[in-house]
Amino acid sequence: MKSERLDKTVAFILQGGRKEAVKLIKSGEIAVGGNVIKDPAAKINPHKDRITLSGKEICYKEKIYIMMNKPLGVVSSTDDGGVTVIDILPEEFLRRGLFPAGRLDKDTTGFVLITDDGDFAHRMLSPKSHVDKEYEVFLAEPLEEGAEKKFSDGLTLGDGYQCLPAETECIDGGKRIKFKVILREGKYHQIKRMFAACGNRVAALHRTAIGGVHLDSSLKAGECRELTAEELGRITGGE
């Protein structure tokens, strides 16, 4: 495993400048393997060595993958203005290059995956990868009978776009107001447009799963945690 300079590693972990890292090291704030090191040029193995700042462990991670339960009123794009999912991340997760892998509308809640791994996001979002996205949909009125077949056949939207087949299941005991929908693509406002093509309107929308990984039920709106290695493997198909 390649070794790295201590100051470079500390700067990367803390997402700060090299000068700040050097200052911390020279002041004796940084320890490696329990030993204080004051030489910024000291070589360490960032993947194996235990690094602490003022006694608290700081972890070196080349990439990060975060599950967030997105609340209402927060945007998942980083360029649309307003409060974004990046803005509400806890400080412990903040680092350069973070972005949401796939968007949810401002009025849509649920599972948003935030990462700084562009290759992973590309694989996850590509229709060729067939990564399922599962949603709970609450409709303004009961859905017409037979609409499920339209979804499974592949709906044609109002602008002529031909959707890939999608799974749809009524989950409210036959009232036909609440549905589970599984997509393998993610066009702009797709679920809303699909139900509009059936003469209905989406009143509320909540993403419950990505790639078979379900949103952690312990996460309240706005809360997040890192994905486990097992969850990440399920989303990427073991790549």
Side-chain angles (χ1 to χ4, degrees):
M1 190 69 70
K2 183 180 177 181
S3 61
E4 292 281 1
R5 283 176 58 112
L6 180 58
D7 56 354
K8 182 179 178 181
T9 299
V10 171
F12 179 86
I13 294 172
L14 300 180
Q15 295 297 290
R18 188 77 70 90
K19 288 183 179 180
E20 179 185 353
V22 168
K23 184 178 179 180
L24 288 170
I25 293 166
K26 289 185 173 181
S27 66
E29 302 262 7
I30 302 295
V32 178
N35 299 312
V36 172
I37 297 180
K38 294 187 177 183
D39 178 8
K43 294 291 187 177
I44 67 164
N45 186 329
H47 298 275
K48 293 184 177 181
D49 293 332
R50 182 175 183 269
I51 307 168
T52 58
L53 168 61
S54 300
K56 182 178 179 181
E57 185 171 3
I58 53 177
C59 297
Y60 179 93
K61 297 173 183 175
E62 291 186 357
K63 299 296 180 182
I64 192 169
Y65 309 89
I66 302 165
M67 171 192 291
M68 174 181 283
N69 184 359
K70 188 186 92 63
L72 280 171
V74 174
V75 296
S76 54
S77 170
T78 56
D79 55 9
D80 286 347
V83 178
T84 74
V85 291
I86 305 301
D87 293 330
I88 65 173
L89 276 175
E91 185 175 352
E92 64 194 270
F93 293 132
L94 290 177
R95 56 197 291 168
R96 294 190 187 98
L98 287 172
F99 63 93
R103 299 184 177 186
L104 290 183
D105 300 336
K106 187 175 183 179
D107 58 355
T108 300
T109 60
F111 190 171
V112 169
L113 201 160
I114 300 170
T115 185
D116 55 356
D117 187 340
D119 290 339
F120 164 82
H122 177 75
R123 294 196 307 273
M124 188 190 92
L125 297 172
S126 172
K128 295 179 181 179
S129 298
H130 301 295
V131 176
D132 294 347
K133 288 86 176 177
E134 180 182 303
Y135 300 81
E136 283 184 357
V137 185
F138 301 82
L139 299 176
E141 56 190 55
L143 185 65
E144 64 179 13
E145 294 291 339
E148 289 92 334
K149 188 175 188 307
K150 294 181 180 180
F151 276 77
S152 63
D153 289 344
L155 271 166
T156 301
L157 302 182
D159 62 359
Y161 177 77
Q162 181 68 43
C163 297
L164 293 175
E167 298 176 33
T168 312
E169 178 186 355
C170 179
I171 55 174
D172 62 3
K175 296 178 182 178
R176 300 187 65 76
I177 294 287
K178 183 179 179 182
F179 285 80
K180 178 173 75 174
V181 176
I182 300 177
L183 298 182
R184 292 174 179 83
E185 56 184 338
K187 299 297 181 181
Y188 181 70
H189 289 318
Q190 182 168 346
I191 288 183
K192 294 177 181 178
R193 294 162 65 201
M194 291 171 82
F195 282 98
C198 295
N200 213 312
R201 180 176 64 83
V202 173
L205 185 60
H206 182 76
R207 185 192 279 161
T208 54
I210 297 174
V213 175
H214 283 79
L215 179 65
D216 190 329
S217 60
S218 70
L219 292 177
K220 298 177 182 177
E223 293 184 340
C224 59
R225 67 164 173 80
E226 288 188 65
L227 289 173
T228 66
E230 188 270 338
E231 289 170 334
L232 190 61
R234 284 161 60 191
I235 292 174
T236 58
E239 292 183 13

CSV table of all heavy atoms in Angstrom, one decimal, residues 119-179:
chain,number,residue,atom,x,y,z
A,119,ASP,N,-17.7,8.0,-10.8
A,119,ASP,CA,-17.9,6.8,-11.5
A,119,ASP,C,-19.0,5.9,-10.9
A,119,ASP,O,-19.8,5.3,-11.7
A,119,ASP,CB,-16.6,6.0,-11.5
A,119,ASP,CG,-15.5,6.7,-12.3
A,119,ASP,OD1,-15.8,7.5,-13.2
A,119,ASP,OD2,-14.3,6.4,-12.0
A,120,PHE,N,-19.1,5.8,-9.6
A,120,PHE,CA,-20.1,5.1,-9.0
A,120,PHE,C,-21.5,5.7,-9.3
A,120,PHE,O,-22.4,4.9,-9.6
A,120,PHE,CB,-19.9,5.1,-7.4
A,120,PHE,CG,-21.2,4.7,-6.7
A,120,PHE,CD1,-21.4,3.3,-6.5
A,120,PHE,CD2,-22.0,5.6,-6.1
A,120,PHE,CE1,-22.6,3.0,-5.7
A,120,PHE,CE2,-23.1,5.3,-5.4
A,120,PHE,CZ,-23.4,3.9,-5.2
A,121,ALA,N,-21.6,7.0,-9.2
A,121,ALA,CA,-22.9,7.6,-9.5
A,121,ALA,C,-23.3,7.4,-11.0
A,121,ALA,O,-24.5,7.1,-11.3
A,121,ALA,CB,-22.8,9.1,-9.3
A,122,HIS,N,-22.4,7.4,-11.9
A,122,HIS,CA,-22.7,7.1,-13.3
A,122,HIS,C,-23.2,5.7,-13.5
A,122,HIS,O,-24.2,5.5,-14.2
A,122,HIS,CB,-21.4,7.4,-14.2
A,122,HIS,CG,-21.7,7.0,-15.6
A,122,HIS,ND1,-22.4,7.9,-16.5
A,122,HIS,CD2,-21.3,6.0,-16.4
A,122,HIS,CE1,-22.4,7.3,-17.7
A,122,HIS,NE2,-21.8,6.2,-17.6
A,123,ARG,N,-22.6,4.7,-12.9
A,123,ARG,CA,-23.0,3.4,-13.0
A,123,ARG,C,-24.4,3.2,-12.4
A,123,ARG,O,-25.3,2.5,-12.9
A,123,ARG,CB,-22.0,2.4,-12.3
A,123,ARG,CG,-20.7,2.3,-12.9
A,123,ARG,CD,-19.9,1.1,-12.4
A,123,ARG,NE,-19.8,1.0,-11.0
A,123,ARG,CZ,-18.9,1.6,-10.3
A,123,ARG,NH1,-18.0,2.3,-10.9
A,123,ARG,NH2,-18.9,1.4,-9.0
A,124,MET,N,-24.6,3.8,-11.2
A,124,MET,CA,-25.9,3.7,-10.5
A,124,MET,C,-27.1,4.3,-11.3
A,124,MET,O,-28.2,3.8,-11.3
A,124,MET,CB,-25.8,4.4,-9.1
A,124,MET,CG,-27.0,4.1,-8.2
A,124,MET,SD,-27.0,5.2,-6.8
A,124,MET,CE,-28.0,6.6,-7.3
A,125,LEU,N,-26.8,5.4,-12.0
A,125,LEU,CA,-27.9,6.1,-12.6
A,125,LEU,C,-28.1,5.7,-14.1
A,125,LEU,O,-29.2,6.0,-14.6
A,125,LEU,CB,-27.6,7.6,-12.6
A,125,LEU,CG,-27.5,8.3,-11.2
A,125,LEU,CD1,-27.0,9.7,-11.3
A,125,LEU,CD2,-28.8,8.2,-10.5
A,126,SER,N,-27.2,5.0,-14.6
A,126,SER,CA,-27.4,4.5,-16.0
A,126,SER,C,-28.5,3.5,-16.1
A,126,SER,O,-28.5,2.5,-15.4
A,126,SER,CB,-26.1,3.9,-16.5
A,126,SER,OG,-26.3,3.3,-17.8
A,127,PRO,N,-29.4,3.7,-17.1
A,127,PRO,CA,-30.5,2.7,-17.2
A,127,PRO,C,-29.9,1.3,-17.6
A,127,PRO,O,-30.5,0.3,-17.3
A,127,PRO,CB,-31.3,3.2,-18.4
A,127,PRO,CG,-31.1,4.7,-18.4
A,127,PRO,CD,-29.6,4.9,-17.9
A,128,LYS,N,-28.7,1.3,-18.2
A,128,LYS,CA,-28.1,0.0,-18.5
A,128,LYS,C,-27.8,-0.8,-17.3
A,128,LYS,O,-27.6,-2.1,-17.4
A,128,LYS,CB,-26.9,0.2,-19.4
A,128,LYS,CG,-27.1,0.8,-20.7
A,128,LYS,CD,-25.8,1.1,-21.5
A,128,LYS,CE,-26.1,1.7,-22.9
A,128,LYS,NZ,-24.9,1.9,-23.6
A,129,SER,N,-27.6,-0.2,-16.2
A,129,SER,CA,-27.2,-0.9,-14.9
A,129,SER,C,-28.4,-1.5,-14.2
A,129,SER,O,-28.3,-2.4,-13.4
A,129,SER,CB,-26.5,0.1,-14.0
A,129,SER,OG,-25.3,0.6,-14.5
A,130,HIS,N,-29.6,-1.1,-14.6
A,130,HIS,CA,-30.9,-1.6,-14.1
A,130,HIS,C,-30.9,-1.6,-12.5
A,130,HIS,O,-31.3,-2.5,-11.9
A,130,HIS,CB,-31.0,-3.1,-14.5
A,130,HIS,CG,-31.1,-3.3,-16.0
A,130,HIS,ND1,-32.1,-2.7,-16.8
A,130,HIS,CD2,-30.3,-3.8,-16.9
A,130,HIS,CE1,-31.9,-3.0,-18.0
A,130,HIS,NE2,-30.8,-3.7,-18.1
A,131,VAL,N,-30.5,-0.4,-12.0
A,131,VAL,CA,-30.6,-0.2,-10.5
A,131,VAL,C,-32.0,0.3,-10.2
A,131,VAL,O,-32.3,1.4,-10.6
A,131,VAL,CB,-29.5,0.8,-10.0
A,131,VAL,CG1,-29.7,1.0,-8.5
A,131,VAL,CG2,-28.1,0.2,-10.3
A,132,ASP,N,-32.7,-0.5,-9.5
A,132,ASP,CA,-34.1,-0.2,-9.2
A,132,ASP,C,-34.2,1.0,-8.2
A,132,ASP,O,-33.3,1.1,-7.3
A,132,ASP,CB,-34.8,-1.3,-8.5
A,132,ASP,CG,-35.0,-2.5,-9.5
A,132,ASP,OD1,-34.8,-2.3,-10.7
A,132,ASP,OD2,-35.4,-3.6,-9.0
A,133,LYS,N,-35.1,1.9,-8.4
A,133,LYS,CA,-35.5,2.9,-7.4
A,133,LYS,C,-36.9,2.7,-7.1
A,133,LYS,O,-37.8,2.7,-7.9
A,133,LYS,CB,-35.3,4.3,-8.0
A,133,LYS,CG,-33.8,4.8,-8.2
A,133,LYS,CD,-33.3,4.3,-9.5
A,133,LYS,CE,-31.8,4.8,-9.7
A,133,LYS,NZ,-31.3,4.3,-11.0
A,134,GLU,N,-37.2,2.6,-5.7
A,134,GLU,CA,-38.5,2.2,-5.3
A,134,GLU,C,-39.1,3.4,-4.6
A,134,GLU,O,-38.4,4.1,-3.8
A,134,GLU,CB,-38.4,1.0,-4.3
A,134,GLU,CG,-39.8,0.6,-3.7
A,134,GLU,CD,-39.6,-0.5,-2.8
A,134,GLU,OE1,-39.1,-1.6,-3.2
A,134,GLU,OE2,-40.0,-0.4,-1.6
A,135,TYR,N,-40.4,3.7,-4.8
A,135,TYR,CA,-41.1,4.8,-4.3
A,135,TYR,C,-42.5,4.4,-3.7
A,135,TYR,O,-43.1,3.5,-4.1
A,135,TYR,CB,-41.4,5.9,-5.4
A,135,TYR,CG,-40.2,6.4,-6.1
A,135,TYR,CD1,-39.5,5.7,-7.1
A,135,TYR,CD2,-39.6,7.6,-5.7
A,135,TYR,CE1,-38.4,6.2,-7.7
A,135,TYR,CE2,-38.5,8.1,-6.4
A,135,TYR,CZ,-37.9,7.4,-7.4
A,135,TYR,OH,-36.8,7.9,-8.0
A,136,GLU,N,-42.9,5.2,-2.7
A,136,GLU,CA,-44.3,5.2,-2.2
A,136,GLU,C,-45.0,6.4,-2.8
A,136,GLU,O,-44.5,7.5,-2.7
A,136,GLU,CB,-44.4,5.2,-0.7
A,136,GLU,CG,-44.1,3.9,0.0
A,136,GLU,CD,-44.3,3.9,1.4
A,136,GLU,OE1,-44.6,5.0,2.0
A,136,GLU,OE2,-44.1,2.9,2.1
A,137,VAL,N,-46.1,6.2,-3.5
A,137,VAL,CA,-46.8,7.3,-4.2
A,137,VAL,C,-48.2,7.4,-3.5
A,137,VAL,O,-48.9,6.4,-3.4
A,137,VAL,CB,-46.9,7.0,-5.7
A,137,VAL,CG1,-47.6,8.1,-6.4
A,137,VAL,CG2,-45.6,6.6,-6.3
A,138,PHE,N,-48.5,8.6,-3.2
A,138,PHE,CA,-49.8,8.9,-2.7
A,138,PHE,C,-50.6,9.8,-3.7
A,138,PHE,O,-50.1,10.9,-4.1
A,138,PHE,CB,-49.7,9.7,-1.3
A,138,PHE,CG,-49.0,8.9,-0.3
A,138,PHE,CD1,-47.6,8.9,-0.2
A,138,PHE,CD2,-49.7,8.2,0.7
A,138,PHE,CE1,-46.9,8.2,0.7
A,138,PHE,CE2,-49.0,7.5,1.7
A,138,PHE,CZ,-47.6,7.5,1.7
A,139,LEU,N,-51.7,9.3,-4.2
A,139,LEU,CA,-52.4,9.9,-5.3
A,139,LEU,C,-53.6,10.8,-4.8
A,139,LEU,O,-54.1,10.7,-3.7
A,139,LEU,CB,-53.0,8.9,-6.2
A,139,LEU,CG,-52.0,8.0,-6.9
A,139,LEU,CD1,-52.7,6.9,-7.7
A,139,LEU,CD2,-51.0,8.8,-7.8
A,140,ALA,N,-53.9,11.8,-5.6
A,140,ALA,CA,-55.0,12.7,-5.3
A,140,ALA,C,-56.4,12.0,-5.3
A,140,ALA,O,-57.3,12.5,-4.6
A,140,ALA,CB,-55.0,13.9,-6.3
A,141,GLU,N,-56.5,11.0,-6.1
A,141,GLU,CA,-57.7,10.3,-6.3
A,141,GLU,C,-57.5,8.8,-6.6
A,141,GLU,O,-56.3,8.5,-7.1
A,141,GLU,CB,-58.6,10.9,-7.3
A,141,GLU,CG,-58.0,11.0,-8.7
A,141,GLU,CD,-58.8,11.9,-9.6
A,141,GLU,OE1,-59.1,13.1,-9.3
A,141,GLU,OE2,-59.2,11.4,-10.7
A,142,PRO,N,-58.4,7.9,-6.5
A,142,PRO,CA,-58.2,6.5,-6.8
A,142,PRO,C,-57.7,6.3,-8.2
A,142,PRO,O,-58.2,7.0,-9.2
A,142,PRO,CB,-59.5,5.8,-6.5
A,142,PRO,CG,-60.2,6.7,-5.5
A,142,PRO,CD,-59.8,8.1,-5.9
A,143,LEU,N,-56.8,5.4,-8.4
A,143,LEU,CA,-56.2,5.2,-9.8
A,143,LEU,C,-57.2,4.3,-10.5
A,143,LEU,O,-57.8,3.4,-10.0
A,143,LEU,CB,-54.9,4.5,-9.6
A,143,LEU,CG,-54.1,4.2,-10.9
A,143,LEU,CD1,-53.7,5.6,-11.6
A,143,LEU,CD2,-52.9,3.4,-10.7
A,144,GLU,N,-57.3,4.6,-11.8
A,144,GLU,CA,-58.2,3.8,-12.7
A,144,GLU,C,-57.8,2.4,-12.7
A,144,GLU,O,-56.6,2.0,-12.6
A,144,GLU,CB,-58.2,4.4,-14.1
A,144,GLU,CG,-56.8,4.3,-14.8
A,144,GLU,CD,-56.7,4.8,-16.2
A,144,GLU,OE1,-57.7,5.5,-16.6
A,144,GLU,OE2,-55.8,4.6,-16.9
A,145,GLU,N,-58.8,1.5,-12.8
A,145,GLU,CA,-58.5,0.1,-13.0
A,145,GLU,C,-57.7,-0.2,-14.3
A,145,GLU,O,-57.9,0.4,-15.3
A,145,GLU,CB,-59.8,-0.7,-13.0
A,145,GLU,CG,-60.6,-0.7,-11.7
A,145,GLU,CD,-59.9,-1.4,-10.5
A,145,GLU,OE1,-59.0,-2.3,-10.8
A,145,GLU,OE2,-60.2,-1.1,-9.4
A,146,GLY,N,-56.8,-1.1,-14.2
A,146,GLY,CA,-56.0,-1.5,-15.3
A,146,GLY,C,-54.7,-0.6,-15.6
A,146,GLY,O,-54.0,-0.9,-16.5
A,147,ALA,N,-54.5,0.4,-14.7
A,147,ALA,CA,-53.4,1.2,-14.9
A,147,ALA,C,-52.1,0.5,-14.7
A,147,ALA,O,-51.0,0.8,-15.3
A,147,ALA,CB,-53.4,2.4,-14.0
A,148,GLU,N,-52.1,-0.5,-13.8
A,148,GLU,CA,-50.9,-1.3,-13.5
A,148,GLU,C,-50.3,-1.9,-14.8
A,148,GLU,O,-49.1,-1.9,-15.0
A,148,GLU,CB,-51.1,-2.3,-12.5
A,148,GLU,CG,-51.4,-1.8,-11.1
A,148,GLU,CD,-52.8,-1.6,-10.8
A,148,GLU,OE1,-53.6,-1.3,-11.7
A,148,GLU,OE2,-53.2,-1.6,-9.6
A,149,LYS,N,-51.2,-2.4,-15.7
A,149,LYS,CA,-50.7,-3.0,-16.9
A,149,LYS,C,-50.0,-1.9,-17.8
A,149,LYS,O,-49.0,-2.2,-18.5
A,149,LYS,CB,-51.8,-3.7,-17.7
A,149,LYS,CG,-51.4,-4.5,-18.9
A,149,LYS,CD,-52.5,-5.2,-19.6
A,149,LYS,CE,-52.0,-6.2,-20.6
A,149,LYS,NZ,-51.1,-5.5,-21.6
A,150,LYS,N,-50.6,-0.7,-17.8
A,150,LYS,CA,-49.9,0.3,-18.6
A,150,LYS,C,-48.5,0.6,-18.1
A,150,LYS,O,-47.6,0.8,-18.9
A,150,LYS,CB,-50.7,1.6,-18.5
A,150,LYS,CG,-52.1,1.5,-19.1
A,150,LYS,CD,-52.9,2.9,-19.0
A,150,LYS,CE,-54.2,2.8,-19.6
A,150,LYS,NZ,-55.0,4.1,-19.5
A,151,PHE,N,-48.3,0.6,-16.8
A,151,PHE,CA,-47.0,0.8,-16.3
A,151,PHE,C,-46.1,-0.4,-16.7
A,151,PHE,O,-44.9,-0.2,-17.0
A,151,PHE,CB,-47.1,0.9,-14.7
A,151,PHE,CG,-47.4,2.2,-14.2
A,151,PHE,CD1,-48.7,2.7,-14.3
A,151,PHE,CD2,-46.4,3.0,-13.7
A,151,PHE,CE1,-49.0,4.0,-13.8
A,151,PHE,CE2,-46.7,4.3,-13.2
A,151,PHE,CZ,-48.0,4.8,-13.3
A,152,SER,N,-46.6,-1.6,-16.5
A,152,SER,CA,-45.7,-2.8,-16.8
A,152,SER,C,-45.4,-2.9,-18.3
A,152,SER,O,-44.4,-3.5,-18.7
A,152,SER,CB,-46.4,-4.1,-16.3
A,152,SER,OG,-47.6,-4.3,-17.0
A,153,ASP,N,-46.3,-2.4,-19.2
A,153,ASP,CA,-46.0,-2.4,-20.6
A,153,ASP,C,-45.1,-1.3,-21.0
A,153,ASP,O,-44.4,-1.4,-22.1
A,153,ASP,CB,-47.4,-2.2,-21.4
A,153,ASP,CG,-48.2,-3.5,-21.3
A,153,ASP,OD1,-47.7,-4.5,-20.9
A,153,ASP,OD2,-49.4,-3.3,-21.6
A,154,GLY,N,-45.0,-0.2,-20.2
A,154,GLY,CA,-44.2,0.9,-20.6
A,154,GLY,C,-45.1,2.1,-21.1
A,154,GLY,O,-45.5,2.1,-22.2
A,155,LEU,N,-45.3,3.0,-20.2
A,155,LEU,CA,-46.2,4.1,-20.5
A,155,LEU,C,-45.6,5.1,-21.5
A,155,LEU,O,-44.4,5.2,-21.5
A,155,LEU,CB,-46.5,4.9,-19.2
A,155,LEU,CG,-47.7,4.5,-18.4
A,155,LEU,CD1,-47.6,5.2,-17.0
A,155,LEU,CD2,-49.0,4.9,-19.1
A,156,THR,N,-46.5,5.7,-22.3
A,156,THR,CA,-46.0,6.8,-23.1
A,156,THR,C,-46.4,8.1,-22.5
A,156,THR,O,-47.6,8.3,-22.2
A,156,THR,CB,-46.6,6.7,-24.5
A,156,THR,OG1,-46.3,5.5,-25.1
A,156,THR,CG2,-46.1,7.8,-25.4
A,157,LEU,N,-45.5,9.0,-22.2
A,157,LEU,CA,-45.8,10.2,-21.5
A,157,LEU,C,-46.4,11.3,-22.5
A,157,LEU,O,-46.4,11.0,-23.7
A,157,LEU,CB,-44.5,10.8,-20.9
A,157,LEU,CG,-43.8,9.9,-19.9
A,157,LEU,CD1,-42.6,10.6,-19.3
A,157,LEU,CD2,-44.8,9.5,-18.8
A,158,GLY,N,-46.9,12.4,-22.0
A,158,GLY,CA,-47.5,13.4,-22.7
A,158,GLY,C,-46.7,14.0,-23.9
A,158,GLY,O,-47.2,14.4,-24.9
A,159,ASP,N,-45.3,14.0,-23.6
A,159,ASP,CA,-44.4,14.5,-24.7
A,159,ASP,C,-44.0,13.5,-25.7
A,159,ASP,O,-43.1,13.7,-26.5
A,159,ASP,CB,-43.2,15.2,-24.0
A,159,ASP,CG,-42.4,14.2,-23.2
A,159,ASP,OD1,-42.7,13.0,-23.1
A,159,ASP,OD2,-41.4,14.6,-22.6
A,160,GLY,N,-44.5,12.2,-25.5
A,160,GLY,CA,-44.2,11.2,-26.5
A,160,GLY,C,-43.1,10.2,-26.0
A,160,GLY,O,-42.8,9.3,-26.7
A,161,TYR,N,-42.5,10.5,-24.8
A,161,TYR,CA,-41.4,9.7,-24.3
A,161,TYR,C,-41.9,8.3,-23.9
A,161,TYR,O,-42.9,8.2,-23.2
A,161,TYR,CB,-40.7,10.3,-23.1
A,161,TYR,CG,-39.6,9.4,-22.6
A,161,TYR,CD1,-38.4,9.3,-23.2
A,161,TYR,CD2,-39.8,8.7,-21.4
A,161,TYR,CE1,-37.4,8.5,-22.7
A,161,TYR,CE2,-38.9,7.9,-20.9
A,161,TYR,CZ,-37.6,7.8,-21.5
A,161,TYR,OH,-36.7,6.9,-21.0
A,162,GLN,N,-41.3,7.3,-24.4
A,162,GLN,CA,-41.7,5.9,-24.1
A,162,GLN,C,-40.9,5.4,-22.9
A,162,GLN,O,-39.7,5.2,-22.9
A,162,GLN,CB,-41.4,5.0,-25.3
A,162,GLN,CG,-41.8,3.5,-25.0
A,162,GLN,CD,-43.3,3.4,-24.9
A,162,GLN,OE1,-44.1,4.0,-25.7
A,162,GLN,NE2,-43.8,2.5,-24.0
A,163,CYS,N,-41.6,5.2,-21.7
A,163,CYS,CA,-40.9,4.8,-20.5
A,163,CYS,C,-40.6,3.3,-20.6
A,163,CYS,O,-41.3,2.5,-21.3
A,163,CYS,CB,-41.9,5.0,-19.3
A,163,CYS,SG,-42.3,6.7,-19.0
A,164,LEU,N,-39.5,2.9,-19.9
A,164,LEU,CA,-39.3,1.5,-19.7
A,164,LEU,C,-40.3,0.9,-18.8
A,164,LEU,O,-41.0,1.6,-18.0
A,164,LEU,CB,-37.9,1.4,-19.0
A,164,LEU,CG,-36.6,1.8,-19.8
A,164,LEU,CD1,-35.4,1.6,-18.9
A,164,LEU,CD2,-36.5,0.9,-21.0
A,165,PRO,N,-40.6,-0.4,-18.9
A,165,PRO,CA,-41.6,-1.0,-18.0
A,165,PRO,C,-41.3,-0.7,-16.5
A,165,PRO,O,-40.1,-0.7,-16.1
A,165,PRO,CB,-41.4,-2.5,-18.3
A,165,PRO,CG,-40.9,-2.5,-19.8
A,165,PRO,CD,-40.0,-1.3,-19.9
A,166,ALA,N,-42.3,-0.5,-15.8
A,166,ALA,CA,-42.2,-0.2,-14.3
A,166,ALA,C,-43.1,-1.1,-13.6
A,166,ALA,O,-44.2,-1.5,-14.0
A,166,ALA,CB,-42.5,1.2,-14.0
A,167,GLU,N,-42.7,-1.5,-12.3
A,167,GLU,CA,-43.6,-2.3,-11.5
A,167,GLU,C,-44.5,-1.3,-10.6
A,167,GLU,O,-44.0,-0.4,-10.0
A,167,GLU,CB,-42.7,-3.2,-10.6
A,167,GLU,CG,-41.9,-4.1,-11.3
A,167,GLU,CD,-41.0,-4.9,-10.4
A,167,GLU,OE1,-41.4,-5.2,-9.2
A,167,GLU,OE2,-39.8,-5.3,-10.8
A,168,THR,N,-45.7,-1.7,-10.5
A,168,THR,CA,-46.7,-0.9,-9.7
A,168,THR,C,-47.6,-1.8,-8.9
A,168,THR,O,-48.1,-2.8,-9.4
A,168,THR,CB,-47.6,0.0,-10.6
A,168,THR,OG1,-46.8,0.6,-11.6
A,168,THR,CG2,-48.4,1.0,-9.8
A,169,GLU,N,-47.7,-1.5,-7.6
A,169,GLU,CA,-48.5,-2.3,-6.7
A,169,GLU,C,-49.3,-1.5,-5.8
A,169,GLU,O,-48.8,-0.6,-5.1
A,169,GLU,CB,-47.6,-3.3,-5.9
A,169,GLU,CG,-48.3,-4.2,-4.9
A,169,GLU,CD,-47.4,-5.0,-4.1
A,169,GLU,OE1,-46.1,-4.9,-4.3
A,169,GLU,OE2,-47.9,-5.6,-3.1
A,170,CYS,N,-50.6,-1.7,-5.7
A,170,CYS,CA,-51.5,-1.0,-4.8
A,170,CYS,C,-51.1,-1.5,-3.3
A,170,CYS,O,-51.1,-2.8,-3.1
A,170,CYS,CB,-52.9,-1.3,-5.1
A,170,CYS,SG,-54.1,-0.5,-4.0
A,171,ILE,N,-50.9,-0.6,-2.4
A,171,ILE,CA,-50.5,-1.1,-1.0
A,171,ILE,C,-51.4,-0.4,0.0
A,171,ILE,O,-51.0,-0.3,1.2
A,171,ILE,CB,-49.0,-0.7,-0.8
A,171,ILE,CG1,-48.7,0.8,-1.0
A,171,ILE,CG2,-48.1,-1.6,-1.6
A,171,ILE,CD1,-47.3,1.2,-0.6
A,172,ASP,N,-52.6,-0.1,-0.3
A,172,ASP,CA,-53.5,0.4,0.7
A,172,ASP,C,-54.8,-0.4,0.8
A,172,ASP,O,-55.9,0.2,1.1
A,172,ASP,CB,-53.8,1.9,0.4
A,172,ASP,CG,-54.5,2.1,-0.9
A,172,ASP,OD1,-54.9,1.1,-1.6
A,172,ASP,OD2,-54.8,3.3,-1.3
A,173,GLY,N,-54.7,-1.7,0.5
A,173,GLY,CA,-55.9,-2.5,0.7
A,173,GLY,C,-57.0,-2.4,-0.4
A,173,GLY,O,-58.2,-2.7,-0.1
A,174,GLY,N,-56.6,-1.8,-1.5
A,174,GLY,CA,-57.6,-1.7,-2.6
A,174,GLY,C,-58.3,-0.4,-2.7
A,174,GLY,O,-59.1,-0.1,-3.6
A,175,LYS,N,-57.9,0.6,-1.9
A,175,LYS,CA,-58.4,1.9,-2.0
A,175,LYS,C,-57.9,2.6,-3.3
A,175,LYS,O,-58.5,3.6,-3.8
A,175,LYS,CB,-58.1,2.8,-0.8
A,175,LYS,CG,-58.7,2.2,0.5
A,175,LYS,CD,-58.3,3.1,1.7
A,175,LYS,CE,-58.9,2.6,3.0
A,175,LYS,NZ,-58.5,3.3,4.2
A,176,ARG,N,-56.7,2.2,-3.7
A,176,ARG,CA,-56.1,2.6,-4.9
A,176,ARG,C,-55.6,4.1,-4.9
A,176,ARG,O,-55.7,4.8,-5.8
A,176,ARG,CB,-57.0,2.4,-6.2
A,176,ARG,CG,-57.3,0.9,-6.4
A,176,ARG,CD,-58.0,0.6,-7.6
A,176,ARG,NE,-57.2,0.9,-8.8
A,176,ARG,CZ,-56.2,0.1,-9.3
A,176,ARG,NH1,-55.8,-1.0,-8.6
A,176,ARG,NH2,-55.5,0.4,-10.4
A,177,ILE,N,-55.2,4.5,-3.7
A,177,ILE,CA,-54.7,5.8,-3.5
A,177,ILE,C,-53.2,5.8,-3.2
A,177,ILE,O,-52.4,6.7,-3.6
A,177,ILE,CB,-55.4,6.5,-2.3
A,177,ILE,CG1,-56.8,6.8,-2.6
A,177,ILE,CG2,-54.6,7.8,-1.9
A,177,ILE,CD1,-57.1,7.9,-3.5
A,178,LYS,N,-52.7,4.7,-2.6
A,178,LYS,CA,-51.3,4.5,-2.2
A,178,LYS,C,-50.7,3.4,-3.0
A,178,LYS,O,-51.2,2.2,-3.0
A,178,LYS,CB,-51.1,4.3,-0.7
A,178,LYS,CG,-49.7,4.2,-0.2
A,178,LYS,CD,-49.7,4.0,1.3
A,178,LYS,CE,-48.3,3.9,1.8
A,178,LYS,NZ,-48.2,3.7,3.3
A,179,PHE,N,-49.6,3.6,-3.7
A,179,PHE,CA,-48.9,2.6,-4.5
A,179,PHE,C,-47.4,2.5,-4.3
A,179,PHE,O,-46.8,3.5,-3.9
A,179,PHE,CB,-49.2,2.9,-6.0
A,179,PHE,CG,-50.6,2.6,-6.5
A,179,PHE,CD1,-51.6,3.5,-6.2
A,179,PHE,CD2,-50.8,1.4,-7.2
A,179,PHE,CE1,-52.9,3.2,-6.7
A,179,PHE,CE2,-52.1,1.2,-7.6
A,179,PHE,CZ,-53.1,2.0,-7.4
